[in-house]
Amino acid sequence: MKQIIEKINKSWHSNPPCDQQIMLSVGKLFPLPDDYKEFMLWSNGGEGNIGSQYLSLWKIEDLMQLNKEYQIQKYLSKKSLVIGTDGGDNCIGFYFGEPTFIFLQPLGDLDLSENRFLSQSFTDMFINWLRIK
């Protein structure tokens, strides 16, 4: 994750690090991956271009409220947690099943048939978008 942060540092509109207590409380509800936690300790949400993609991550303190407002767990799965958007109409989130993965889903159509696999991990999403070998 450190290499990714170095690579996007200049183009990423970062926020101050997240509050570790809030991250722990969210972590009691969802098994947040270490790479995601590391990123949030660098920038609590934020946004920017990642290669040819755009990513807007929500602040850790807003995750539960926004997931509730969008009714993510009701329509997708109790194992789903949206963490941001592509800057447009699609949300990006974790599915904490076997296996855990990152998905892309239209916010206006929370039908599981519209759910698209993005990557196996938070780090892999950046690697794929930045085309890092």
Side-chain angles (χ1 to χ4, degrees):
M1 186 50 62
K2 288 179 184 177
Q3 285 181 314
I4 290 167
I5 289 170
E6 286 175 15
K7 199 160 191 75
I8 68 168
N9 191 27
K10 291 182 178 147
S11 64
W12 185 257
H13 302 282
S14 63
N15 294 320
C18 73
D19 181 295
Q20 290 188 19
Q21 291 302 322
I22 295 172
M23 187 164 33
L24 286 172
S25 67
V26 174
K28 289 178 182 175
L29 302 171
F30 293 96
L32 300 174
D34 290 341
D35 54 355
Y36 173 74
K37 291 189 287 189
E38 181 179 348
F39 190 91
M40 296 301 276
L41 288 170
W42 171 68
S43 176
N44 184 15
E47 58 188 283
N49 288 311
I50 310 297
S52 62
Q53 305 294 321
Y54 193 83
L55 179 62
S56 176
L57 290 176
W58 297 338
K59 291 181 177 182
I60 195 96
E61 60 267 22
D62 297 335
L63 285 182
M64 299 315 297
Q65 183 62 36
L66 289 167
N67 274 263
K68 182 178 178 183
E69 287 175 12
Y70 283 110
Q71 300 182 53
I72 299 301
Q73 288 77 36
K74 176 181 178 183
Y75 289 109
L76 295 182
S77 163
K78 292 190 185 310
K79 295 181 178 184
S80 297
L81 178 70
V82 170
I83 58 172
T85 71
D86 65 357
D89 297 332
N90 296 302
C91 64
I92 295 170
F94 289 109
Y95 174 75
F96 297 108
E98 288 297 325
T100 293
F101 61 86
I102 303 278
F103 65 83
L104 182 75
Q105 175 81 38
L107 273 170
D109 187 4
L110 292 176
D111 184 323
L112 278 175
S113 67
E114 298 296 319
N115 194 282
R116 287 192 0 227
F117 173 88
L118 273 183
S119 66
Q120 293 180 344
S121 72
F122 190 68
T123 299
D124 284 349
M125 178 180 71
F126 283 95
I127 289 171
N128 294 340
W129 287 358
L130 292 168
R131 295 179 174 33
I132 299 172
K133 303 272 184 216

